[in-house]
Amino acid sequence: MNLIEQIANIVSYDFMQNALISGVFLSVVLAVVGLHLVTHRLTFIADTLGHINMGGVALTYLLAPVIALSLFSSLLIIMTWSILGGVLIEYLRSKYKDNKEVAILIVYAMAIALTMIFLNLSTSANTGFLNLLFGNINAISNQEVIVVVVFSIVILIVMQLINKKLFIIAFDQEVSELYGVKYTFYRYLFIILVTITTTLAIKILGVLLVSSMMIIPNLSAINLSKNLKQTKYFAIILTEISMIFGIFMAYFLNLSASAVIVIVAIVIYGLTVVYKSKFS
Amino acid sequence: MDKSQIIINNLNFKYNEQIVLDNINLQISQIDYLVITGKNGSGKSTLIKCLLGLNKIDNQIITIDGVSINKLDKKGIFGYVAQESKLLLDIPITAVEYLKLYKSDIKKIKEVLKTINAKYLENKQLNDMSGGERQRIFIAKSLLNNIKFLILDEPIKGLDKAMRKSFHDLTNTLHKNGVGIIIISHNLEELDMHITKVYDLEERKLSEFNRTNCKYC
């Protein structure tokens, strides 16, 4: 069998189709949301949000024997949990004038501690927990694909509507209201969108690597670009390349997809650093 | 067209129970080219934030042509250029892309860039510009709306002699065209001679420099 036949064969599997469809949609969202994470200098918040998601999942394990949870109600619990965590970080950050990073540490510690307690108390089987840490593309159901596609479209529409305002609050943090943009409102809205993106993406990328795929392709795009428009498109293209190439390579090499996706993104980043130092 | 007048009437401002501004009274006209000086931490930035309507104050404390600052759309009144060090620019963005975030009217953007002799910068990345060039773009951002007053926070900090001259030429032209200029600076020595008033903010209180002793007035 040649490579094309092999690829055609792999793509015929349901789980692979689900992984690819989810991956393609998520890549656009990760790139678009990630660009604003870079301009807002929120890269570590994104990582913490990934970990907070874990607590939400542990909570569903805890609740599972008590109430019947559908995919949607589980997702709702995880998202609500994570959004509360995200909002709490932003609230605590606003209370510190200079050393804002301590807010992240407090919420991060709380999220991890509560995750462990939920797991201790949980009587339901939680063998999927390792998948949560590193992602598992084999486990994406048809229903989950629909959820990912619908939410991705909604997030992209909202991001398009608030795109300029997010740049303004990043560039003119202290005086954005002079331009008619309410800093607090848009900042919280953005944190909520980042949180939802993280929740959607952990199935593929896992808690530990989800934030890296929002940031690394954007850093590569910045190295290649001469303006904002190019940065945006390069980031989307590079996230898609890392995602699709990573999913296929992981299958051929029998490795964890999230790890291969991130390694591909890092290799691309390394190449862009070389490109930048040679040509610009 | 009548010139606008800002009146600050007995402004007191506390931050965390500490008095930052104490009984400030000031009149600024659109024909003024005014400098507020003072040491770091003297309350200059707080005063500017009050003026821009970003700090909450009672209705009648600051008025423009008799209308409370709280009830006005500040976008059409004030332009503000922050200190260079406060700007976060981690992405490649050209001058036109940057200005389009604030006003999508590309015709107006090109017109403003032409007015301030910055047309050559339109496709240049902000990160590749000199401090003086970047400042010109930030001033252009303010001019996208037909503002009455331009407030500049420490505008000559970090500029070399040539850039300072270019900055002064630009603010003088804007002043002649009817824009009131308000500069916050702790370095009076390097400011130019077109200044009409100088105020000193010291120990939370504002006082006008004595005209007979003030070589800038």
Side-chain angles (χ1 to χ4, degrees):
Chain A
M1 234 187 332
N2 65 29
L3 187 66
I4 293 175
E5 282 171 340
Q6 272 187 340
I7 290 173
N9 189 31
I10 300 165
V11 172
S12 67
Y13 297 132
D14 276 352
F15 82 89
M16 201 61 171
Q17 287 172 4
N18 289 348
L20 285 169
I21 296 168
S22 307
V24 166
F25 275 87
L26 276 173
S27 293
V28 185
V29 182
L30 291 166
V32 170
V33 169
L35 180 60
H36 289 283
L37 283 173
V38 174
T39 57
H40 282 249
R41 297 190 176 172
L42 287 176
T43 48
F44 286 104
I45 282 194
D47 187 50
T48 305
L49 290 174
H51 287 80
I52 295 173
N53 264 284
M54 202 161 59
V57 178
L59 185 61
T60 62
Y61 290 153
L62 183 65
L63 294 174
V66 189
I67 45 171
L69 292 173
S70 64
L71 167 71
F72 198 73
S73 53
S74 299
L75 202 66
L76 206 66
I77 290 171
I78 301 166
M79 274 186 190
T80 310
W81 175 264
S82 309
I83 287 170
L84 284 174
V87 168
L88 183 61
I89 294 180
E90 192 52 29
Y91 174 75
L92 288 175
R93 272 172 63 92
S94 71
K95 296 287 158 203
Y96 287 92
K97 200 163 174 253
D98 296 314
N99 193 10
K100 291 177 181 289
E101 300 305 295
V102 294
I104 299 178
L105 178 91
I106 294 163
V107 182
Y108 180 90
M110 191 169 79
I112 299 289
L114 285 174
T115 304
M116 286 161 71
I117 291 171
F118 291 157
L119 288 176
N120 290 155
L121 296 175
S122 165
T123 50
S124 64
N126 45 45
T127 48
F129 207 71
L130 203 61
N131 289 338
L132 192 65
L133 289 180
F134 300 103
N136 181 9
I137 58 161
N138 300 328
I140 302 167
S141 67
N142 291 346
Q143 264 185 314
E144 281 171 318
V145 175
I146 295 167
V147 169
V148 166
V149 171
V150 171
F151 270 96
S152 296
I153 292 169
V154 173
I155 293 172
L156 288 173
I157 291 171
V158 179
M159 285 300 291
Q160 184 58 32
L161 291 174
I162 65 169
N163 182 51
K164 284 185 179 180
K165 295 187 167 72
L166 289 180
F167 280 120
I168 290 175
I169 63 167
F171 297 150
D172 288 292
Q173 189 173 341
E174 289 182 8
V175 294
S176 65
E177 291 195 25
L178 189 62
Y179 305 101
V181 184
K182 286 208 179 309
Y183 176 83
T184 314
F185 174 80
Y186 286 101
R187 180 74 170 210
Y188 276 102
L189 180 57
F190 178 54
I191 293 287
I192 290 170
L193 291 170
V194 177
T195 312
I196 298 173
T197 306
T198 316
T199 308
L200 294 177
I202 51 170
K203 201 78 190 240
I204 292 184
L205 295 166
V207 165
L208 299 177
L209 294 172
V210 63
S211 65
S212 59
M213 280 309 287
M214 294 197 226
I215 309 298
I216 297 167
N218 270 295
L219 297 180
S220 307
I222 288 169
N223 285 342
L224 297 176
S225 307
K226 290 192 164 40
N227 56 48
L228 188 58
K229 200 173 171 185
Q230 279 183 4
T231 309
K232 199 170 159 183
Y233 290 123
F234 272 131
I236 294 172
I237 292 166
L238 297 178
T239 315
E240 292 286 5
I241 290 173
S242 310
M243 186 73 81
I244 296 168
F245 196 59
I247 289 174
F248 279 112
M249 270 192 35
Y251 181 85
F252 283 122
L253 301 171
N254 197 21
L255 294 168
S256 173
S258 62
V260 182
I261 292 166
V262 171
I263 291 293
V264 174
I266 291 173
V267 169
I268 293 173
Y269 173 74
L271 294 173
T272 65
V273 172
V274 174
Y275 169 86
K276 198 182 176 191
S277 62
K278 294 262 182 213
F279 300 106
S280 39
Chain B
M1 203 170 69
D2 284 347
K3 298 296 177 193
S4 284
Q5 180 107 3
I6 305 169
I7 296 178
I8 302 179
N9 186 17
N10 194 13
L11 168 64
N12 296 291
F13 195 82
K14 280 184 186 172
Y15 186 76
N16 284 346
E17 292 307 308
Q18 252 193 327
I19 297 170
V20 185
L21 298 172
D22 185 11
N23 193 18
I24 305 288
N25 291 286
L26 180 64
Q27 287 193 19
I28 308 168
S29 161
Q30 215 178 324
I31 56 168
D32 282 333
Y33 188 131
L34 176 145
V35 177
I36 299 171
T37 184
K39 292 180 193 134
N40 279 344
S42 61
K44 299 190 298 280
S45 300
T46 309
L47 177 59
I48 291 309
K49 278 193 171 176
C50 291
L51 204 55
L52 292 171
L54 302 173
N55 281 339
K56 268 204 163 156
I57 46 167
D58 287 342
N59 268 346
Q60 287 312 312
I61 305 286
I62 300 180
T63 58
I64 297 178
D65 302 332
V67 183
S68 167
I69 187 84
N70 297 337
K71 293 178 181 163
L72 289 166
D73 176 14
K74 269 73 77 180
K75 200 156 73 172
I77 299 169
F78 291 114
Y80 174 72
V81 179
Q83 282 183 45
E84 171 85 354
S85 59
K86 289 196 175 173
L87 294 156
L88 303 176
L89 281 170
D90 297 324
I91 48 166
I93 183 166
T94 65
V96 166
E97 284 179 324
Y98 178 75
L99 296 172
K100 269 174 87 176
L101 298 173
Y102 298 86
K103 198 163 194 110
S104 37
D105 182 353
I106 188 78
K107 217 172 124 190
K108 178 76 182 173
I109 292 172
K110 295 205 170 189
E111 187 189 302
V112 168
L113 287 173
K114 203 174 157 192
T115 316
I116 62 164
N117 295 326
K119 203 163 181 327
Y120 70 102
L121 294 173
E122 66 180 36
N123 291 316
K124 195 170 178 179
Q125 268 187 52
L126 265 72
N127 285 333
D128 291 342
M129 291 181 190
S130 69
E133 287 175 330
R134 230 183 343 251
Q135 187 180 62
R136 221 156 247 263
I137 299 304
F138 298 139
I139 292 174
K141 176 175 84 178
S142 297
L143 300 177
L144 292 174
N145 300 303
N146 296 317
I147 52 163
K148 294 177 175 175
F149 297 92
L150 179 61
I151 302 175
L152 301 119
D153 196 353
E154 300 290 355
I156 52 167
K157 202 173 170 183
L159 299 189
D160 63 23
K161 205 174 170 188
M163 286 197 276
R164 281 205 300 273
K165 179 171 183 319
S166 156
F167 166 76
H168 288 137
D169 290 345
L170 175 59
T171 48
N172 286 332
T173 309
L174 293 174
H175 186 226
K176 274 182 204 148
N177 289 335
V179 179
I181 306 286
I182 303 169
I183 290 181
I184 311 295
S185 177
H186 66 272
N187 193 353
L188 277 177
E189 301 301 318
E190 287 162 353
L191 287 169
D192 82 340
M193 298 297 171
H194 290 78
I195 298 162
T196 56
K197 286 178 186 168
V198 178
Y199 287 88
D200 186 28
L201 191 61
E202 202 178 344
E203 309 237 326
R204 305 177 294 273
K205 287 184 182 291
L206 194 70
S207 55
E208 189 170 3
F209 263 62
N210 188 331
R211 276 177 181 277
T212 50
N213 298 332
C214 176
K215 64 175 179 173
Y216 308 99
C217 306

